[in-house]
């Protein structure tokens, strides 16, 4: 019987400091749950290292909230001497010689890394079905008919199933915040530059963010204090001061929250809309002001195509180093061209190849103007529109996803409003690099729904404060899927 797995990081920290539990006991329990997992969350185990670290941590560190806490990390972060594949065959067997900065910071705190989690191959995708280890299931649906969502599927499923209280993901379009909605989790992506991306495998660096899952807003704030801050190894990381987010929550009284009405109206799910509106009423009762605004429909419909062109173009260029020579296995061939062609033909799945074809096409000299540069211009217009909403409002609050996690065979009509807008609006936070958090809203048919709160750059404190209040109002702190029998 598990004793500790449903505690939050903050609660476990208290128990550890009081010596009511040891890091080793926590690691052993998490490792056992990981072995019993039926949702396909694990890419690579770090069991031996975890047990060694957990046994040698010494005295509890009162000021280190992650000391002795078992954690999981998405397999697109470099972990020294531990296989790191980003769920792609082209990286099978690749063992980096260094730790990503976020991994180093977690280790320095005394966190116990117990393994690497599955993802959509190279973090491209949103279903949790395209990694080389197959489908990752949503633990909320014991029949295994609904997606976990991705790309950070393994990390999301592991936190939702109560294996660990914290797991690292990454977010280029919504890959933390969408699965968080489908898994009843807190999923947070702070401002672009707030957390170092050194050692995060690049997908589309102008959009890539470190993000993570927890089961409470307080834990999300604690994690930010540990992970944020300047890193000389990542020139895009900010040297702004890291705040004490976990002790400076400021409530919602007097805060202005914008609702983008024509994003909300693209959602058809009645319960999602009702629950969202009743949460808004409760926030108003606590002293928040809700301002209903609109964005140009053309800009909203441009989110998805703009995202696809920019992310595929950047992905094509940034993944050119996966040539079958520098990392991972050889796939045969006598010349460099043959080796590369074989590696990229056999090492990537269809989805990745399709995206590289789109990216190469957009970057071709004759297409650059009409595709790549046009997408950059569209991005600028979209970002300007979002930022103009945030001039008079402290945050933007929206349903995080159109519905509960879809069934595997449910194929969205990609030209419908519901898909173009309701399924893709979280990318606004990536285009503009804004802090953006998803938290649970309610439960529908036994599956969670989520809301998303976005704020101005580097105003993580505001976003977390609104999220904490919303978490109190929904009462859905520490949600947990129940475990597969
Ligand atoms: N679902 C988006 C995509 O398919 C987002 C991926 C991400 O954020 N890593 O690319």
């Amino acid at each position: 019987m598990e004793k500790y797995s449903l505690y939050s990081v903050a609660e476990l920290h208290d128990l550890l400091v009081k010596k009511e539990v040891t890091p080793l006991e926590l690691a052993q329990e998490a490792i056992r749950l990981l072995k019993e997992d039926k949702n396909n969350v694990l890419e690579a185990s770090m069991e031996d290292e975890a047990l060694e670290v957990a046994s040698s941590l010494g005295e509890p560190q009162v000021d280190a909230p992650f000391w002795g806490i078992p954690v999981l990390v998405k397999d697109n972060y470099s972990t020294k001497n531990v296989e790191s594949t980003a769920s792609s065959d082209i990286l099978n067997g690749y063992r980096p010689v260094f730790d990503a900065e976020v991994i180093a910071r977690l280790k320095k705190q005394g966190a116990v890394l117990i393994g690497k989690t599955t993802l959509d191959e190279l973090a491209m995708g949103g279903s949790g079905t395209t990694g080389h280890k197959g489908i990752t299931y949503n633990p909320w649906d014991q029949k295994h008919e609904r997606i976990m969502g991705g790309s950070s599927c393994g990390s999301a499923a592991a936190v939702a199933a109560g294996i660990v209280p914290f797991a690292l993901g990454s977010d280029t379009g919504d890959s933390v915040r969408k699965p968080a909605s489908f898994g009843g989790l807190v999923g947070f992506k702070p401002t672009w530059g707030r957390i170092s991306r050194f050692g995060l495998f690049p997908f589309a660096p102008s959009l890539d963010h470190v993000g993570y899952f927890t089961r409470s807003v307080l834990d999300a704030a604690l994690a930010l204090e540990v992970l944020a801050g300047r890193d000389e190894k990542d020139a895009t990381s900010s040297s702004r001061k890291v705040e004490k987010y976990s002790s400076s929550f400021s409530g919602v009284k007097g805060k202005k929250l914008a609702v983008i009405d024509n994003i909300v109206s693209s959602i058809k799910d009645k319960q999602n809309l009702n629950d969202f509106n009743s949460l808004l009423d409760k926030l108003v009762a606590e002293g928040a002001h809700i301002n209903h605004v609109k964005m140009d429909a053309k800009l909203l419909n441009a989110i998805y195509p703009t995202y696809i062109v920019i992310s595929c173009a950047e992905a094509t260029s940034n993944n050119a180093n996966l040539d079958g020579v520098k990392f991972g296995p050889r796939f045969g061939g006598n010349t460099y061209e043959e080796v590369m062609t074989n590696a990229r033909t056999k090492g990537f799945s269809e989805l990745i190849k399709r995206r590289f074809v789109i990216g190469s096409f957009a970057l071709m000299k004759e297409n650059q103007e009409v595709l790549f540069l046009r997408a950059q211009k569209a991005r600028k217009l979209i970002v300007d529109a979002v930022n103009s909403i945030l001039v008079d409002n402290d945050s933007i609050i929206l349903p995080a996803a159109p519905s509960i996690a879809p069934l595997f065979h449910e194929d969205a009509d990609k030209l419908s409003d519901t898909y173009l807008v309701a399924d893709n609006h979280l990318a606004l936070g990536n285009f503009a690099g804004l802090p953006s958090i998803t938290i649970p809203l309610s439960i529908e048919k036994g599956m969670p729904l989520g809301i998303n709160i976005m704020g101005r750059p580097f105003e993580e404190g505001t976003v977390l404060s609104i999220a904490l209040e919303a978490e109190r109002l929904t009462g859905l702190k520490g949600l947990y899927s129940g475990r597969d029998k």
Side-chain angles (χ1 to χ4, degrees), residues 250-257 283 286-289 465-467 469-470:
S250 55
V252 291
K253 197 162 194 291
K255 294 214 166 71
K256 294 183 193 152
L257 280 52
L283 287 165
E286 296 300 322
H289 303 288
S465 294
I466 298 168
E469 194 62 23

Side-chain angles (χ1 to χ4, degrees), residues 125-396:
S127 56
T129 61
T130 69
H132 64 180
K133 292 217 163 159
I135 294 173
T136 296
Y137 297 101
N138 190 323
W140 283 83
D141 172 35
Q142 301 217 347
K143 290 194 283 196
H144 283 176
E145 290 171 348
R146 292 187 183 275
I147 70 167
M148 178 65 256
S151 62
S152 314
C153 49
S155 285
V159 179
I163 296 173
V164 284
F166 170 90
L168 273 180
S170 66
D171 191 312
T172 302
D174 55 20
S175 278
V176 163
R177 295 160 296 145
K178 191 79 153 303
S181 183
F182 296 155
L185 298 168
V186 174
F188 190 30
K189 163 199 99 54
T191 309
W192 193 87
R194 185 63 294 186
I195 300 180
S196 164
R197 299 175 300 168
F198 175 76
L200 166 63
F201 297 3
F203 163 7
S206 80
L207 301 163
D208 291 344
H209 294 68
V210 171
Y212 49 81
F213 301 96
T214 62
R215 290 190 300 265
S216 80
V217 174
L218 175 61
D219 282 2
L222 289 167
L224 189 58
E225 291 167 18
V226 172
L227 299 175
R230 173 70 183 168
D231 167 22
E232 291 302 325
K233 299 184 293 315
D234 175 0
T236 66
S237 67
S238 168
S239 34
R240 277 180 192 241
K241 196 170 157 283
V242 177
E243 294 160 38
K244 281 296 280 173
Y245 307 99
S246 66
S247 51
S248 44
F249 292 111
S250 55
V252 291
K253 197 162 194 291
K255 294 214 166 71
K256 294 183 193 152
L257 280 52
V259 175
I260 306 176
D261 279 341
N262 48 346
I263 292 184
V264 178
S265 63
S266 67
I267 292 170
K268 305 292 171 240
D269 183 313
K270 290 250 160 45
Q271 188 187 330
N272 196 2
L273 295 172
N274 286 341
D275 294 347
F276 175 67
N277 285 323
S278 63
L279 176 63
L280 293 183
D281 291 343
K282 289 183 193 160
L283 287 165
V284 169
E286 296 300 322
H289 303 288
I290 305 290
N291 292 323
H292 289 271
V293 300
K294 275 198 165 59
M295 257 177 80
D296 183 344
K298 280 207 204 86
L299 292 182
L300 291 181
N301 285 333
I303 295 172
Y304 182 60
T306 302
Y307 172 78
I308 286 294
V309 172
I310 293 177
S311 68
C312 291
E314 289 190 31
T316 305
S317 137
N318 280 283
N319 287 286
N321 60 351
L322 299 180
D323 59 358
V325 176
K326 301 177 187 73
F327 316 95
R330 289 286 171 100
F331 290 82
N334 295 316
T335 61
Y336 176 64
E337 206 164 322
E338 262 176 41
V339 169
M340 178 178 64
T341 307
N342 283 338
R344 292 174 76 90
T345 304
K346 295 180 190 146
F348 294 136
S349 70
E350 288 310 306
L351 175 101
I352 301 300
K353 288 181 204 162
R354 207 162 50 233
R355 291 203 180 196
F356 289 163
V357 168
I358 297 171
S360 306
F361 189 75
L363 289 174
M364 277 165 71
K365 205 163 174 223
E366 54 271 44
N367 298 333
Q368 260 184 34
E369 181 81 38
V370 66
L371 287 172
F372 188 61
L373 295 178
R374 197 157 152 219
Q376 301 287 11
K377 287 178 192 160
R379 177 178 181 174
K380 169 85 167 72
L381 294 175
I382 295 168
V383 167
D384 286 350
V386 173
N387 284 339
S388 74
I389 295 172
L390 289 169
V391 170
D392 295 325
N393 292 286
D394 299 295
S395 80
I396 295 172

Side-chain angles (χ1 to χ4, degrees), residues 4 12 15-26 67:
Y4 303 108
L12 289 176
L15 294 178
L16 285 161
V17 167
K18 289 193 215 129
K19 298 193 179 179
E20 286 177 25
V21 66
T22 65
L24 185 60
E25 286 169 307
L26 293 184
W67 183 91

